[in-house]
Amino acid sequence: MKTTSSAGSNTTIRERLGLRPIINVSGTMTTLGASIIVPEAISAMAEIASQWVEMDDLQRAASAVIARLTGGEAGFITACCASGITMAIAGAMTGTNLLAIERLPDDTEGLKSEVVIQLGHIVNYGAPIDQSIRVAGAKVIPAGTVSVTQDYHVREAINERTAAALYVVAHHTVQYGMLSLEEFCEICHAKGVPVIVDAASEYDLRSFLERGADIVVYSGHKFLSGPTSGIVTGRKDLVRNAYLQNRGVARAMKVGKESIAGTMAALEAWEKRDHAGIRRREEAALNLWKDALQGIPGIGAQIIPDPTNNPLDRLQVFVHPESRFTAAGLASALAAGSPPVIVRNHEVERGHFFLDPCNLHPGEAEIVAQQLRAALTAKDRPADAMKVARKDSSGALRWPD
Ligand SMILES: *Cc1c(COP(=O)(O)O)cnc(C)c1O
Protein backbone atom coordinates (compact mmCIF):
# COMPACT_ATOMS: atom_id res chain seq x y z
CA MET A 1 0.00 0.00 0.00
CA LYS A 2 1.26 3.49 -0.79
CA THR A 3 1.64 5.78 2.17
CA THR A 4 0.01 9.17 2.09
CA SER A 5 0.46 12.26 4.18
CA SER A 6 -1.92 15.16 4.55
CA ALA A 7 0.64 17.31 2.72
CA GLY A 8 1.34 14.81 -0.07
CA SER A 9 -0.94 13.93 -2.93
CA ASN A 10 -3.33 11.16 -2.03
CA THR A 11 -2.69 8.70 -4.82
CA THR A 12 -4.47 5.84 -3.13
CA ILE A 13 -8.00 7.16 -3.37
CA ARG A 14 -7.37 8.24 -6.94
CA GLU A 15 -6.11 4.76 -7.78
CA ARG A 16 -9.08 3.15 -6.06
CA LEU A 17 -11.51 5.28 -8.03
CA GLY A 18 -9.66 4.85 -11.31
CA LEU A 19 -8.70 8.54 -11.50
CA ARG A 20 -5.56 9.78 -13.19
CA PRO A 21 -2.86 11.18 -10.84
CA ILE A 22 -2.93 14.65 -12.39
CA ILE A 23 -0.65 17.51 -11.43
CA ASN A 24 -2.54 20.79 -11.54
CA VAL A 25 -0.62 23.78 -12.91
CA SER A 26 -3.73 25.43 -14.27
CA GLY A 27 -5.07 27.20 -11.17
CA THR A 28 -7.99 26.69 -8.81
CA MET A 29 -10.22 24.89 -11.29
CA THR A 30 -13.69 23.55 -10.54
CA THR A 31 -13.16 20.92 -13.23
CA LEU A 32 -10.06 19.63 -11.41
CA GLY A 33 -11.54 19.52 -7.92
CA ALA A 34 -11.39 23.22 -6.98
CA SER A 35 -8.70 23.26 -4.27
CA ILE A 36 -6.25 21.46 -2.04
CA ILE A 37 -8.28 21.84 1.15
CA VAL A 38 -6.13 23.06 4.04
CA PRO A 39 -5.69 20.62 6.96
CA GLU A 40 -7.51 22.96 9.39
CA ALA A 41 -10.63 22.81 7.22
CA ILE A 42 -10.41 19.05 6.77
CA SER A 43 -10.34 18.53 10.57
CA ALA A 44 -13.24 20.93 11.13
CA MET A 45 -15.28 19.09 8.49
CA ALA A 46 -14.51 15.70 9.99
CA GLU A 47 -15.27 16.95 13.50
CA ILE A 48 -18.67 18.41 12.71
CA ALA A 49 -19.75 15.64 10.31
CA SER A 50 -21.31 13.44 13.00
CA GLN A 51 -22.80 16.24 15.16
CA TRP A 52 -26.26 17.76 15.13
CA VAL A 53 -26.15 21.53 14.91
CA GLU A 54 -28.68 24.31 14.60
CA MET A 55 -27.81 25.61 11.17
CA ASP A 56 -28.88 29.22 11.75
CA ASP A 57 -26.57 29.30 14.77
CA LEU A 58 -23.72 27.81 12.76
CA GLN A 59 -24.26 30.45 10.07
CA ARG A 60 -24.42 33.12 12.83
CA ALA A 61 -20.98 31.97 13.97
CA ALA A 62 -19.81 32.04 10.34
CA SER A 63 -21.17 35.58 10.03
CA ALA A 64 -18.92 36.74 12.86
CA VAL A 65 -15.81 35.17 11.28
CA ILE A 66 -16.68 36.58 7.86
CA ALA A 67 -17.32 40.03 9.34
CA ARG A 68 -13.97 39.97 11.13
CA LEU A 69 -12.00 38.98 8.01
CA THR A 70 -13.82 41.06 5.41
CA GLY A 71 -14.97 44.11 7.34
CA GLY A 72 -18.58 43.39 6.27
CA GLU A 73 -21.44 43.90 8.74
CA ALA A 74 -22.57 40.29 8.31
CA GLY A 75 -22.04 37.27 6.11
CA PHE A 76 -22.91 33.66 5.42
CA ILE A 77 -21.63 30.59 3.61
CA THR A 78 -23.37 29.08 0.61
CA ALA A 79 -22.69 26.35 -1.94
CA CYS A 80 -20.37 28.39 -4.17
CA CYS A 81 -19.80 31.89 -5.48
CA ALA A 82 -22.32 31.44 -8.29
CA SER A 83 -24.96 30.57 -5.66
CA GLY A 84 -23.98 33.65 -3.66
CA ILE A 85 -24.48 35.85 -6.73
CA THR A 86 -27.95 34.41 -7.33
CA MET A 87 -28.88 34.77 -3.65
CA ALA A 88 -27.63 38.37 -3.43
CA ILE A 89 -29.64 39.28 -6.52
CA ALA A 90 -32.77 37.46 -5.35
CA GLY A 91 -32.39 39.23 -2.00
CA ALA A 92 -32.19 42.62 -3.70
CA MET A 93 -35.43 41.75 -5.49
CA THR A 94 -37.47 40.37 -2.56
CA GLY A 95 -36.14 42.16 0.48
CA THR A 96 -37.66 40.41 3.50
CA ASN A 97 -40.93 39.57 1.71
CA LEU A 98 -41.17 35.86 2.52
CA LEU A 99 -43.95 35.22 0.04
CA ALA A 100 -42.01 36.91 -2.76
CA ILE A 101 -39.07 34.61 -1.90
CA GLU A 102 -41.30 31.60 -2.55
CA ARG A 103 -42.65 33.13 -5.77
CA LEU A 104 -39.24 33.44 -7.46
CA PRO A 105 -37.95 32.89 -10.05
CA ASP A 106 -40.85 33.11 -12.50
CA ASP A 107 -43.31 35.31 -10.58
CA THR A 108 -41.65 38.70 -10.07
CA GLU A 109 -44.88 40.70 -10.14
CA GLY A 110 -44.45 43.94 -8.20
CA LEU A 111 -40.72 43.35 -7.58
CA LYS A 112 -37.76 45.21 -8.95
CA SER A 113 -36.31 42.64 -11.29
CA GLU A 114 -33.57 44.11 -13.49
CA VAL A 115 -29.82 43.76 -12.95
CA VAL A 116 -27.36 46.06 -14.69
CA ILE A 117 -23.95 44.68 -15.66
CA GLN A 118 -21.24 46.04 -17.97
CA LEU A 119 -21.21 44.01 -21.18
CA GLY A 120 -17.48 43.34 -20.79
CA HIS A 121 -18.24 41.69 -17.44
CA ILE A 122 -20.60 39.03 -18.79
CA VAL A 123 -18.08 36.24 -18.30
CA ASN A 124 -18.24 32.48 -18.28
CA TYR A 125 -16.67 30.69 -15.30
CA GLY A 126 -17.84 27.26 -16.35
CA ALA A 127 -21.37 28.62 -16.76
CA PRO A 128 -22.38 32.07 -17.99
CA ILE A 129 -22.74 34.70 -15.25
CA ASP A 130 -25.93 36.04 -16.81
CA GLN A 131 -27.51 32.68 -15.96
CA SER A 132 -26.64 33.20 -12.27
CA ILE A 133 -28.66 36.42 -12.57
CA ARG A 134 -31.54 34.82 -14.49
CA VAL A 135 -31.83 31.92 -12.03
CA ALA A 136 -33.05 34.47 -9.48
CA GLY A 137 -35.76 35.51 -11.91
CA ALA A 138 -34.04 38.77 -12.81
CA LYS A 139 -33.58 40.24 -16.25
CA VAL A 140 -30.03 41.02 -17.36
CA ILE A 141 -29.51 44.60 -18.58
CA PRO A 142 -26.11 44.85 -20.29
CA ALA A 143 -24.52 48.32 -20.23
CA GLY A 144 -22.06 49.58 -22.83
CA THR A 145 -20.22 47.55 -25.43
CA VAL A 146 -17.72 44.71 -25.21
CA SER A 147 -14.79 47.14 -25.27
CA VAL A 148 -16.14 50.38 -23.77
CA THR A 149 -18.56 51.20 -20.98
CA GLN A 150 -18.97 54.81 -19.97
CA ASP A 151 -20.81 56.40 -17.06
CA TYR A 152 -23.90 57.24 -19.13
CA HIS A 153 -24.28 53.63 -20.29
CA VAL A 154 -24.77 52.52 -16.70
CA ARG A 155 -26.72 55.60 -15.60
CA GLU A 156 -29.23 55.24 -18.45
CA ALA A 157 -29.55 51.48 -17.90
CA ILE A 158 -30.88 52.12 -14.39
CA ASN A 159 -34.60 52.73 -13.95
CA GLU A 160 -37.34 52.15 -11.37
CA ARG A 161 -37.23 48.39 -12.07
CA THR A 162 -33.51 48.06 -11.27
CA ALA A 163 -32.96 45.74 -8.30
CA ALA A 164 -29.16 45.66 -8.27
CA ALA A 165 -26.01 46.12 -10.29
CA LEU A 166 -23.32 43.46 -10.62
CA TYR A 167 -19.60 44.16 -10.94
CA VAL A 168 -17.12 41.40 -11.76
CA VAL A 169 -13.48 41.38 -10.68
CA ALA A 170 -11.70 38.65 -12.61
CA HIS A 171 -9.13 37.92 -15.28
CA HIS A 172 -12.11 36.69 -17.32
CA THR A 173 -13.51 40.21 -17.87
CA VAL A 174 -12.40 42.66 -20.54
CA GLN A 175 -9.40 44.26 -18.83
CA TYR A 176 -9.69 47.73 -20.38
CA GLY A 177 -12.39 50.27 -21.20
CA MET A 178 -14.63 49.26 -18.28
CA LEU A 179 -15.67 51.50 -15.40
CA SER A 180 -13.70 51.23 -12.18
CA LEU A 181 -15.52 49.87 -9.16
CA GLU A 182 -15.51 53.37 -7.62
CA GLU A 183 -17.12 54.94 -10.70
CA PHE A 184 -19.65 52.11 -10.96
CA CYS A 185 -20.64 52.43 -7.27
CA GLU A 186 -20.94 56.20 -7.50
CA ILE A 187 -23.39 55.98 -10.41
CA CYS A 188 -25.44 53.15 -8.87
CA HIS A 189 -25.55 54.65 -5.37
CA ALA A 190 -26.70 58.00 -6.73
CA LYS A 191 -29.78 56.11 -7.97
CA GLY A 192 -30.16 54.03 -4.81
CA VAL A 193 -29.08 50.78 -6.48
CA PRO A 194 -26.95 48.31 -4.47
CA VAL A 195 -23.74 47.00 -6.03
CA ILE A 196 -22.92 43.30 -5.81
CA VAL A 197 -19.29 42.37 -6.54
CA ASP A 198 -18.25 38.97 -7.82
CA ALA A 199 -14.73 38.62 -6.40
CA ALA A 200 -14.71 34.83 -6.59
CA SER A 201 -11.03 34.44 -7.19
CA GLU A 202 -9.51 37.42 -5.38
CA TYR A 203 -7.07 37.35 -2.44
CA ASP A 204 -8.22 40.68 -1.10
CA LEU A 205 -11.04 40.09 1.37
CA ARG A 206 -11.54 43.72 2.38
CA SER A 207 -10.92 46.27 -0.37
CA PHE A 208 -14.06 45.80 -2.49
CA LEU A 209 -16.32 46.68 0.44
CA GLU A 210 -14.01 49.56 1.33
CA ARG A 211 -14.22 50.83 -2.25
CA GLY A 212 -18.01 51.00 -2.16
CA ALA A 213 -19.51 47.55 -2.81
CA ASP A 214 -22.64 46.69 -0.82
CA ILE A 215 -22.23 42.92 -1.07
CA VAL A 216 -19.15 40.95 -2.11
CA VAL A 217 -19.15 37.26 -3.00
CA TYR A 218 -16.07 35.01 -2.87
CA SER A 219 -15.41 31.36 -3.59
CA GLY A 220 -14.32 29.45 -0.49
CA HIS A 221 -12.47 26.90 -2.62
CA LYS A 222 -10.18 29.13 -4.64
CA PHE A 223 -7.27 30.94 -2.99
CA LEU A 224 -8.76 30.34 0.45
CA SER A 225 -8.30 26.57 -0.04
CA GLY A 226 -11.51 25.69 1.72
CA PRO A 227 -14.10 23.10 0.75
CA THR A 228 -16.32 23.93 -2.23
CA SER A 229 -18.34 26.90 -0.96
CA GLY A 230 -19.20 30.53 -1.43
CA ILE A 231 -18.85 33.43 1.00
CA VAL A 232 -21.27 36.36 0.99
CA THR A 233 -20.37 39.50 2.95
CA GLY A 234 -21.47 43.11 3.22
CA ARG A 235 -24.34 45.29 4.39
CA LYS A 236 -26.38 43.49 7.04
CA ASP A 237 -29.83 44.09 5.54
CA LEU A 238 -28.74 42.92 2.09
CA VAL A 239 -26.91 39.91 3.52
CA ARG A 240 -30.02 38.94 5.49
CA ASN A 241 -32.21 39.28 2.40
CA ALA A 242 -29.79 37.07 0.49
CA TYR A 243 -29.66 34.50 3.32
CA LEU A 244 -33.46 34.29 3.39
CA GLN A 245 -33.31 32.84 -0.14
CA ASN A 246 -32.48 29.49 1.52
CA ARG A 247 -36.27 29.35 1.89
CA GLY A 248 -36.62 29.81 -1.88
CA VAL A 249 -34.42 29.45 -4.96
CA ALA A 250 -31.31 28.75 -2.87
CA ARG A 251 -32.80 25.51 -1.54
CA ALA A 252 -31.33 24.03 -4.70
CA MET A 253 -27.95 25.44 -3.66
CA LYS A 254 -27.92 23.91 -0.19
CA VAL A 255 -24.68 24.04 1.75
CA GLY A 256 -23.92 21.43 4.40
CA LYS A 257 -22.70 21.96 7.96
CA GLU A 258 -19.37 20.40 6.97
CA SER A 259 -18.78 23.02 4.27
CA ILE A 260 -19.74 25.85 6.62
CA ALA A 261 -17.39 24.65 9.37
CA GLY A 262 -14.68 23.88 6.81
CA THR A 263 -14.91 27.31 5.20
CA MET A 264 -14.82 29.04 8.60
CA ALA A 265 -11.65 27.09 9.43
CA ALA A 266 -10.15 27.97 6.02
CA LEU A 267 -10.86 31.67 6.66
CA GLU A 268 -9.15 31.49 10.03
CA ALA A 269 -6.22 29.60 8.53
CA TRP A 270 -5.95 32.30 5.84
CA GLU A 271 -5.36 34.88 8.57
CA LYS A 272 -2.38 32.87 9.86
CA ARG A 273 -1.07 31.63 6.52
CA ASP A 274 2.61 32.25 5.73
CA HIS A 275 1.79 34.22 2.59
CA ALA A 276 5.40 35.35 2.06
CA GLY A 277 6.74 31.81 2.40
CA ILE A 278 4.18 30.49 -0.08
CA ARG A 279 5.08 33.26 -2.51
CA ARG A 280 8.77 32.30 -2.27
CA ARG A 281 7.98 28.65 -3.02
CA GLU A 282 5.84 29.69 -5.99
CA GLU A 283 8.64 31.91 -7.32
CA ALA A 284 11.10 29.03 -6.99
CA ALA A 285 8.77 26.81 -9.06
CA LEU A 286 8.40 29.49 -11.75
CA ASN A 287 12.16 29.92 -12.01
CA LEU A 288 12.67 26.16 -12.15
CA TRP A 289 10.23 25.86 -15.08
CA LYS A 290 11.67 28.88 -16.87
CA ASP A 291 15.16 27.38 -16.61
CA ALA A 292 13.88 24.00 -17.81
CA LEU A 293 12.56 25.66 -20.98
CA GLN A 294 15.71 27.69 -21.62
CA GLY A 295 17.35 27.02 -24.98
CA ILE A 296 14.59 24.80 -26.37
CA PRO A 297 13.99 25.81 -30.00
CA GLY A 298 10.64 27.51 -30.59
CA ILE A 299 9.81 27.92 -26.90
CA GLY A 300 9.77 31.22 -25.02
CA ALA A 301 8.82 31.82 -21.41
CA GLN A 302 8.26 34.83 -19.21
CA ILE A 303 7.05 35.30 -15.65
CA ILE A 304 4.00 37.55 -15.60
CA PRO A 305 1.91 39.03 -12.78
CA ASP A 306 -1.73 38.09 -12.18
CA PRO A 307 -4.04 40.31 -14.28
CA THR A 308 -6.16 41.41 -11.31
CA ASN A 309 -3.18 42.08 -9.03
CA ASN A 310 -3.49 39.03 -6.83
CA PRO A 311 -0.08 38.41 -5.23
CA LEU A 312 0.68 35.61 -7.68
CA ASP A 313 2.81 35.26 -10.80
CA ARG A 314 2.51 32.67 -13.55
CA LEU A 315 4.84 31.45 -16.29
CA GLN A 316 3.61 32.31 -19.76
CA VAL A 317 4.94 29.71 -22.22
CA PHE A 318 5.04 30.72 -25.89
CA VAL A 319 4.95 27.83 -28.34
CA HIS A 320 6.25 28.61 -31.85
CA PRO A 321 6.17 26.19 -34.82
CA GLU A 322 9.95 25.55 -34.63
CA SER A 323 9.19 23.55 -31.49
CA ARG A 324 7.14 21.22 -33.75
CA PHE A 325 4.23 21.76 -31.39
CA THR A 326 1.33 24.16 -31.29
CA ALA A 327 0.41 25.45 -27.83
CA ALA A 328 -2.69 23.23 -27.94
CA GLY A 329 -0.61 20.24 -29.07
CA LEU A 330 1.94 20.70 -26.28
CA ALA A 331 -0.82 21.15 -23.68
CA SER A 332 -2.39 17.88 -24.86
CA ALA A 333 0.95 16.06 -24.82
CA LEU A 334 1.54 17.18 -21.21
CA ALA A 335 -2.00 16.16 -20.22
CA ALA A 336 -1.42 12.73 -21.77
CA GLY A 337 1.90 12.28 -19.94
CA SER A 338 2.69 10.09 -17.00
CA PRO A 339 1.90 11.71 -14.66
CA PRO A 340 -0.51 14.00 -16.52
CA VAL A 341 0.28 17.71 -16.20
CA ILE A 342 -2.71 20.00 -16.73
CA VAL A 343 -1.70 23.51 -17.83
CA ARG A 344 -3.72 26.72 -17.84
CA ASN A 345 -4.93 26.73 -21.43
CA HIS A 346 -7.70 29.32 -21.71
CA GLU A 347 -5.68 31.39 -24.22
CA VAL A 348 -4.13 28.45 -26.03
CA GLU A 349 -5.47 29.58 -29.42
CA ARG A 350 -3.15 32.58 -29.13
CA GLY A 351 -0.10 30.31 -29.14
CA HIS A 352 0.66 30.28 -25.44
CA PHE A 353 -0.40 28.76 -22.17
CA PHE A 354 0.40 29.43 -18.54
CA LEU A 355 1.84 27.41 -15.70
CA ASP A 356 0.22 28.32 -12.38
CA PRO A 357 2.26 27.46 -9.28
CA CYS A 358 -0.41 27.94 -6.61
CA ASN A 359 -1.73 24.38 -6.24
CA LEU A 360 1.36 22.23 -5.99
CA HIS A 361 2.14 19.45 -3.55
CA PRO A 362 5.78 19.13 -2.45
CA GLY A 363 7.91 17.63 -5.22
CA GLU A 364 5.45 18.33 -8.02
CA ALA A 365 7.26 21.44 -9.36
CA GLU A 366 10.26 19.25 -10.19
CA ILE A 367 8.06 16.67 -11.94
CA VAL A 368 6.47 19.42 -14.04
CA ALA A 369 9.95 20.63 -15.09
CA GLN A 370 10.93 17.07 -16.07
CA GLN A 371 7.71 16.52 -18.01
CA LEU A 372 8.16 19.79 -19.90
CA ARG A 373 11.69 18.88 -20.95
CA ALA A 374 10.74 15.28 -21.73
CA ALA A 375 7.90 16.35 -24.03
CA LEU A 376 9.98 18.99 -25.80
CA THR A 377 13.24 17.08 -26.20
CA ALA A 378 11.67 13.80 -27.36
CA LYS A 379 12.76 12.85 -30.87
CA ASP A 380 9.25 12.03 -32.04
CA ARG A 381 6.17 14.19 -31.68
CA PRO A 382 2.69 12.83 -30.89
CA ALA A 383 0.32 12.65 -33.87
CA ASP A 384 -1.62 15.74 -32.72
CA ALA A 385 1.45 17.83 -31.82
CA MET A 386 0.55 20.51 -34.36
CA LYS A 387 -3.20 20.42 -33.76
CA VAL A 388 -5.25 23.57 -34.00
CA ALA A 389 -6.88 24.81 -30.80
CA ARG A 390 -10.62 24.24 -30.94
CA LYS A 391 -13.34 24.44 -28.36
CA ASP A 392 -14.63 20.91 -28.18
CA SER A 393 -17.69 19.82 -26.21
CA SER A 394 -17.91 16.31 -27.61
CA GLY A 395 -16.47 14.79 -24.41
CA ALA A 396 -19.15 16.51 -22.32
CA LEU A 397 -21.86 15.16 -24.58
CA ARG A 398 -20.58 11.59 -24.18
CA TRP A 399 -20.58 11.60 -20.35
CA PRO A 400 -20.85 9.20 -18.52
CA ASP A 401 -19.36 7.09 -21.34
C1 LIG B 1 -14.81 30.82 -10.25
C2 LIG B 1 -15.58 32.03 -10.48
C3 LIG B 1 -16.95 32.06 -10.21
C4 LIG B 1 -17.69 30.85 -9.79
O1 LIG B 1 -17.32 30.50 -8.49
P1 LIG B 1 -17.89 29.15 -7.86
O2 LIG B 1 -17.58 29.32 -6.43
O3 LIG B 1 -17.14 28.04 -8.50
O4 LIG B 1 -19.34 29.12 -8.15
C5 LIG B 1 -17.62 33.24 -10.36
N1 LIG B 1 -17.00 34.34 -10.80
C6 LIG B 1 -15.69 34.36 -11.09
C7 LIG B 1 -15.07 35.62 -11.53
C8 LIG B 1 -14.93 33.20 -10.95
O5 LIG B 1 -13.62 33.22 -11.22
Side-chain angles (χ1 to χ4, degrees):
M1 207 178 91
K2 285 217 176 80
T3 54
T4 58
S5 71
S6 60
S9 61
N10 186 347
T11 50
T12 51
I13 190 160
R14 293 194 293 194
E15 279 168 7
R16 251 186 351 264
L17 300 176
L19 301 170
R20 301 201 304 157
I22 56 170
I23 294 178
N24 175 13
V25 281
S26 73
T28 47
M29 294 292 155
T30 290
T31 51
L32 300 181
S35 69
I36 299 171
I37 303 178
V38 289
E40 293 89 338
I42 295 173
S43 345
M45 292 166 81
E47 203 180 336
I48 207 164
S50 59
Q51 305 293 320
W52 295 108
V53 295
E54 291 160 279
M55 292 296 275
D56 284 341
D57 287 341
L58 179 58
Q59 288 277 27
R60 215 169 260 123
S63 178
V65 173
I66 294 167
R68 181 159 56 75
L69 267 93
T70 64
E73 293 171 359
F76 64 86
I77 312 282
T78 180
C80 64
C81 179
S83 323
I85 292 168
T86 300
M87 292 172 82
I89 286 165
M93 295 166 69
T94 63
T96 54
N97 182 333
L98 299 180
L99 186 58
I101 288 168
E102 293 184 7
R103 279 169 32 212
L104 292 186
D106 54 310
D107 180 358
T108 59
E109 175 99 40
L111 304 178
K112 293 182 177 186
S113 62
E114 292 185 359
V115 173
V116 174
I117 179 170
Q118 299 180 81
L119 188 56
H121 282 193
I122 303 187
V123 297
N124 185 306
Y125 36 69
I129 194 167
D130 59 287
Q131 188 172 41
S132 293
I133 300 171
R134 289 183 284 114
V135 164
K139 183 170 173 205
V140 179
I141 307 293
T145 60
V146 164
S147 52
V148 179
T149 304
Q150 288 187 263
D151 52 357
Y152 61 86
H153 291 123
V154 172
R155 196 175 300 116
E156 299 294 334
I158 294 173
N159 60 43
E160 67 288 348
R161 294 181 300 279
T162 309
L166 182 58
Y167 191 97
V168 182
V169 183
H171 70 85
H172 299 290
T173 67
V174 175
Q175 298 293 310
Y176 57 88
M178 300 293 114
L179 295 175
S180 70
L181 178 58
E182 286 82 354
E183 291 170 294
F184 193 76
C185 289
E186 197 178 306
I187 297 161
C188 295
H189 290 165
K191 300 216 170 204
V193 171
V195 173
I196 299 162
V197 171
D198 170 3
S201 200
E202 299 306 301
Y203 272 69
D204 189 331
L205 297 180
R206 303 189 84 93
S207 80
F208 307 109
L209 286 175
E210 285 166 2
R211 289 163 60 194
D214 299 286
I215 281 208
V216 183
V217 190
Y218 294 93
S219 291
H221 49 268
K222 292 191 179 168
F223 294 125
L224 284 167
S225 306
T228 297
S229 61
I231 298 163
V232 178
T233 179
R235 241 173 68 189
K236 191 189 278 188
D237 58 333
L238 296 175
V239 168
R240 177 184 298 127
N241 296 345
Y243 182 68
L244 285 171
Q245 307 304 317
N246 284 313
R247 306 164 62 113
V249 289
R251 176 63 185 205
M253 308 163 188
K254 181 156 77 175
V255 66
K257 61 189 173 187
E258 63 288 350
S259 296
I260 301 171
T263 304
M264 289 168 70
L267 279 165
E268 293 188 308
W270 179 254
E271 265 185 310
K272 299 187 211 107
R273 194 185 282 198
D274 174 15
H275 293 274
I278 290 173
R279 189 94 202 257
R280 278 197 300 277
R281 278 202 294 284
E282 291 175 355
E283 277 163 4
L286 293 172
N287 286 317
L288 181 73
W289 299 335
K290 192 159 182 257
D291 291 347
L293 294 171
Q294 206 83 55
I296 296 182
I299 297 293
Q302 65 173 6
I303 295 174
I304 55 144
D306 178 75
T308 61
N309 297 323
N310 287 306
L312 168 74
D313 298 329
R314 298 186 179 89
L315 190 69
Q316 184 171 16
V317 179
F318 300 94
V319 184
H320 304 292
E322 309 84 79
S323 71
R324 295 181 292 135
F325 274 112
T326 58
L330 180 54
S332 290
L334 292 165
S338 180
V341 171
I342 314 292
V343 304
R344 190 173 180 88
N345 68 354
H346 62 288
E347 292 181 13
V348 81
E349 71 279 8
R350 299 177 65 191
H352 61 252
F353 56 72
F354 302 88
L355 301 176
D356 183 315
C358 78
N359 288 292
L360 294 168
H361 289 292
E364 288 185 340
E366 291 74 13
I367 300 174
V368 171
Q370 282 160 19
Q371 294 293 91
L372 284 168
R373 279 204 76 88
L376 285 161
T377 57
K379 222 157 79 266
D380 298 320
R381 292 286 181 261
D384 61 353
M386 295 297 286
K387 77 173 179 184
V388 178
R390 314 184 71 118
K391 304 278 183 234
D392 182 8
S393 303
S394 55
L397 296 174
R398 279 195 304 273
W399 188 92
D401 298 331

